Amino acid sequence: MAVFKVTKCPTDDLSLTNCAITNESDFPGVRHIRINTGGGQTFVFSIKAHSSVPRYHVGFSLPQRKWAVLSLNQEIGVEPYQPEEYLSSIVLEVDYMQKKTVSQEPYDSDEMAKEFVMSFPNQVFTVGQQLAFSFKDKKLLLAVVRDLEVANIVALKEGRDAKPKKARIGQLMPNTTVQFEKAETSALNLVGKSKGLQLRQSIINPDWDFQKMGIGGLSNEFNAIFRRAFASRVFPPEIVEQLGCKHVKGILLFGPPGTGKTLMARQIGKMLNAREPKIVNGPQILDKYVGESEANVRRLFAEAEEEEKRAGPNSGLHIIIFDEIDAICKQRGSVAGATGVHDTVVNQLLSKIDGVEQLNNILVIGMTNRKDMIDEALMRPGRLEVQVEISLPDEEGRVQILDIHTARMKSYKKISSDVDLSELATLTKNFSGAELEGLVRAAQSTAMNRLIKAASKVEVDPEAMEKLLVTHADFIHALKHDIKPAFGTAEEILNQCLLRGIINWGSPVTNILEDGNLLAQQARETDGSGLVSVLIEGPPNAGKTALAAQIAKNSNFPFVKVCTPEEMVGYTETAKCLSIRKIFDDAYRSTLSCILVDNIERLLDYGPIGPRYSNLTLQALLVLLKKEPPPGKKLLILCTSSRRQVLEDMEMLSAFTTVLHVPNLSKAEHLLNVLEASEVFTNAELKQITHQVHGKRLFIGIKKLLALIDMARQTDERHRVIKLITKLEEDGALEDPGMA
């Protein structure tokens, strides 16, 4: 321990820093010293260097000399000091420096707390220490340290209970809670939340609980966000500086609508003990006046900029949440028009988040369900670098979400004991969080409707309070009639394709259905790419669409989408390609997906005269049929076509995993199987038909045959058989073997 002498602080400005002043050559690289005044008394000070202080002297302000009982030219022992404890809170007793000063002007303790942290960054404080504190342009204050609590960093690292503990000495941090108490008999008028002993949260609330905050099924996503964006903010700045680590400044949450992106962002804002988050809807930024849209972006960052200039690394965290960020951050050059307003807004946002004059005290959270529309420069590291997909919840996540939305009903015993949330989670494959909430609401409305008497006037059962109970049947009713998932099965279209059912007229039908089920199983359980594409081809009216629909239904995949030419009548080539692309993009969001592409040659605008076809649509389909789904996702593609040779000429057959052929009915027994299943003809009529077709060549599609049977159904019983045979011969479906 070296011997130094006590001297005065060289300037008034330096006395307001609360630092002891040393010569530049005495303690190079040292930030804190401990002094020994004799008699076992030691005091710790943060230091600054100044050339006007003689070597082997330490300059102290008057409050410092009073606290440490120092006299000028007194000899003291001095040694470097390294703080080991970081302050979680500090309580200061304040009064006017000049006792004669009396004023009723209010002092905002919240502003004082911010000013205190910015005025004395990373300084060491001791209980009982006195210091001068200049609050803005108001009177000079005398502050005395009354109480200190330090964070238990070791416990935080080990994941144990990290409650703050009392301490005699500690280092001030940017997130230290600062509280002020008025000294006894003082005329100081303190206002604000930082007055007294009111405690505030640290940067991360240790009592954070998903269940209470209303987020379910997003634990993994939140852990990823916390690891990337917030873990560095829990540790003291010293440690972050030693790592050379920069805080993440942007998060992008993307995924299908209704999966909880906005909810997640809202709760992140609440979870952090930072400035009040600024929540901005994308379209609010845009303004019809020239330059106003860019000015709106600048205003969002103005407060953070101003604090960054004043406080530097000790600035508080400013959170800006952009909902529907794709509205203002579209790919530059993609928006039509000569104004280029969108482009300049994107440029302004890019420069503010991570431009030449970058801000380190901001966290931008963007949300979108159209990640493909956002300018790629916004998603590079340093900007919105943490990109988390908030996807459709899995079964465990659906249980959590249903549990959250039924918690209130459970607490008031308004839900029946026969409601099994695990069973409901199984039944609600591919439901988003919003759709699950809608399901609970629909079940509640069904239950309430039972207690409403709608006669000449609407009346509620007077005993509704006691009788009201949401049952399992209410949820099943809501599932069947009210809520359909956006990424679910296209049941109506499939049922329409299977209006007449599947008539098993022979072994070809059995074989195709068996092969289809095996291919669906292959798509479900394969360890490879997870892509199985099947072409179901055959002559017109052979029943290809019905068989494809049956295979899709048998697969029991949660996402089944049907892509038909009927939906795209009048579409331009580009619009048709975008529509097909969207169907495939939606399929990639589900774990198990099936796409049925019906009548593929019509989708390609094929015409035999010419021949003509849409090359743009062909190329799009070729790419999508071969594109493997994302890791962990499985996709079964079923395509139907009546023009195998055309597809072969277009080099499309190689894009399919396998090709299944659906033949026409070619034997008398095939015909009789269909006639028996139709239940239109009597046994005697069936024998007559058997006799009529014996020895003749038969070739007809199942759809054509069913149409002829429907015609025969309307015919008089005496002429029914003749009518059927005549129509078969007229259509060329039935002819003698000798006829060419």
Side-chain angles (χ1 to χ4, degrees), residues 573 601 604-607 611-616 618-619 650:
E573 281 187 301
E601 65 273 10
L604 295 170
D605 297 332
Y606 170 76
R612 301 175 184 176
Y613 66 94
S614 165
N615 187 53
L616 195 64
L618 171 65
Q619 299 306 324
M650 292 177 177

Side-chain angles (χ1 to χ4, degrees), residues 158-320:
E158 295 175 357
R160 293 187 285 109
D161 188 12
K163 289 183 179 177
K165 57 183 182 180
K166 297 280 185 183
R168 176 180 169 271
I169 191 168
Q171 185 177 0
L172 189 71
M173 294 284 105
N175 62 336
T176 300
T177 302
V178 182
Q179 292 136 21
F180 292 94
E181 293 180 356
K182 186 173 69 169
E184 286 183 6
T185 70
S186 173
L188 194 64
N189 181 16
L190 283 180
V191 295
K193 294 180 181 177
S194 295
K195 179 182 69 172
L197 296 173
Q198 185 171 341
L199 295 175
R200 296 201 314 228
Q201 292 178 338
S202 60
I203 187 75
I204 303 291
N205 184 355
D207 300 324
W208 183 254
D209 184 2
F210 269 113
Q211 192 71 16
K212 290 179 184 174
M213 302 313 289
I215 297 181
L218 296 175
S219 304
N220 294 335
E221 289 83 351
F222 185 79
N223 288 339
I225 293 171
F226 186 89
R227 176 177 61 82
R228 292 293 313 281
F230 304 131
S232 63
R233 299 184 187 275
V234 174
F235 287 90
E238 256 79 5
I239 296 175
V240 177
E241 191 177 335
Q242 289 167 13
L243 291 171
C245 170
K246 287 185 177 180
H247 296 311
V248 166
K249 291 189 282 187
I251 303 170
L252 180 67
L253 306 177
F254 66 96
T259 49
K261 300 182 294 296
T262 305
L263 180 62
M264 173 75 88
R266 199 182 300 136
Q267 301 306 346
I268 288 172
K270 288 181 183 177
M271 178 196 72
L272 296 179
N273 185 28
R275 304 288 182 272
E276 187 71 23
K278 293 180 181 175
I279 301 175
V280 187
N281 292 322
Q284 287 179 349
I285 293 291
L286 302 177
D287 197 291
K288 65 179 180 179
Y289 296 108
V290 175
E292 273 301 304
S293 300
E294 297 88 327
N296 287 337
V297 173
R298 288 195 294 274
R299 288 186 196 105
L300 290 173
F301 294 88
E303 194 177 325
E305 258 180 345
E306 189 268 333
E307 190 170 343
E308 176 83 8
K309 286 176 184 174
R310 284 195 299 121
N314 298 308
S315 170
L317 181 64
H318 294 255
I319 302 172
I320 302 169

Side-chain angles (χ1 to χ4, degrees), residues 290-586:
V290 175
E292 273 301 304
S293 300
E294 297 88 327
N296 287 337
V297 173
R298 288 195 294 274
R299 288 186 196 105
L300 290 173
F301 294 88
E303 194 177 325
E305 258 180 345
E306 189 268 333
E307 190 170 343
E308 176 83 8
K309 286 176 184 174
R310 284 195 299 121
N314 298 308
S315 170
L317 181 64
H318 294 255
I319 302 172
I320 302 169
I321 298 173
F322 282 95
D323 202 2
E324 304 299 342
I325 195 170
D326 52 281
I328 58 168
C329 293
K330 290 185 174 69
Q331 292 274 357
R332 284 171 289 183
S334 66
V335 180
T339 58
V341 171
H342 275 90
D343 293 3
T344 54
V345 171
V346 176
N347 294 340
Q348 184 72 76
L349 192 59
L350 294 177
S351 64
K352 284 297 175 188
I353 297 175
D354 187 33
V356 176
E357 296 180 355
Q358 61 180 4
L359 297 169
N360 295 313
N361 60 342
I362 56 167
L363 178 65
V364 177
I365 304 174
M367 290 159 291
T368 181
N369 46 36
R370 294 296 306 274
K371 184 186 174 188
D372 55 300
M373 291 176 64
I374 297 176
D375 194 278
E376 59 186 18
L378 196 64
M379 295 188 283
R380 71 155 174 78
R383 289 171 182 158
L384 301 185
E385 64 178 280
V386 179
Q387 293 153 32
V388 179
E389 182 177 7
I390 310 297
S391 55
L392 296 168
D394 57 14
E395 191 166 322
E396 183 185 348
R398 293 196 294 275
V399 172
Q400 289 179 17
I401 294 167
L402 287 167
D403 199 36
I404 288 167
H405 292 305
T406 57
R408 184 67 65 88
M409 287 193 286
K410 286 177 185 171
S411 63
Y412 287 99
K413 297 188 169 98
K414 293 296 177 190
I415 190 166
S416 174
S417 57
D418 67 348
V419 176
D420 184 355
L421 297 185
S422 300
E423 182 192 347
L424 287 174
T426 307
L427 294 172
T428 51
K429 291 186 176 80
N430 278 22
F431 273 64
S432 68
E435 286 161 348
L436 288 169
E437 185 183 359
L439 177 70
V440 174
R441 280 202 304 269
Q444 289 167 343
S445 65
T446 306
M448 287 189 285
N449 193 56
R450 284 200 305 271
L451 302 172
I452 296 175
K453 301 170 186 175
S456 55
K457 57 182 179 179
V458 177
E459 295 177 356
V460 178
D461 190 327
E463 297 179 1
M465 288 287 288
E466 289 74 27
K467 289 183 180 177
L468 185 60
L469 204 64
V470 182
T471 65
H472 178 261
D474 295 327
F475 279 98
I476 298 302
H477 182 274
L479 266 174
K480 286 183 178 177
H481 302 286
D482 297 326
I483 306 297
K484 300 293 179 189
F487 296 91
T489 304
E491 287 186 17
E492 291 181 6
I493 302 176
L494 289 180
N495 291 336
Q496 194 174 348
C497 295
L498 292 166
L499 208 56
R500 300 294 292 262
I502 297 292
I503 298 173
N504 195 342
W505 49 263
S507 57
V509 176
T510 307
N511 294 338
I512 288 167
L513 289 175
E514 286 178 356
D515 289 349
N517 292 339
L518 286 172
L519 289 162
Q521 193 69 13
Q522 178 185 340
R524 182 190 293 270
E525 297 183 359
T526 182
D527 294 328
S529 66
L531 174 67
V532 174
S533 53
V534 184
L535 175 65
I536 301 173
E537 59 84 23
N541 300 317
K544 302 178 293 297
T545 302
L547 287 167
Q550 189 63 49
I551 293 169
K553 211 164 186 179
N554 292 347
S555 71
N556 201 26
F557 282 10
F559 180 92
V560 178
K561 202 79 171 176
V562 181
C563 176
T564 63
E566 290 87 355
E567 294 174 350
M568 303 182 194
V569 172
Y571 277 28
T572 62
E573 281 187 301
T574 307
K576 191 179 288 188
C577 290
L578 289 173
S579 182
I580 297 169
R581 171 68 187 272
K582 185 179 185 307
I583 290 172
F584 277 81
D585 284 345
D586 288 349

Side-chain angles (χ1 to χ4, degrees), residues 588-636:
Y588 298 147
R589 288 170 170 171
S590 174
T591 311
L592 293 170
S593 306
C594 175
I595 298 174
L596 198 167
V597 183
D598 191 26
N599 212 345
I600 201 168
E601 65 273 10
R602 290 282 75 78
L603 209 59
L604 295 170
D605 297 332
Y606 170 76
I609 301 172
R612 301 175 184 176
Y613 66 94
S614 165
N615 187 53
L616 195 64
T617 314
L618 171 65
Q619 299 306 324
L621 273 172
L622 281 172
V623 169
L624 292 170
L625 286 171
K626 292 181 179 180
K627 182 184 177 184
E628 295 183 0
K633 307 293 173 73
K634 312 292 183 185
L635 177 60
L636 171 66

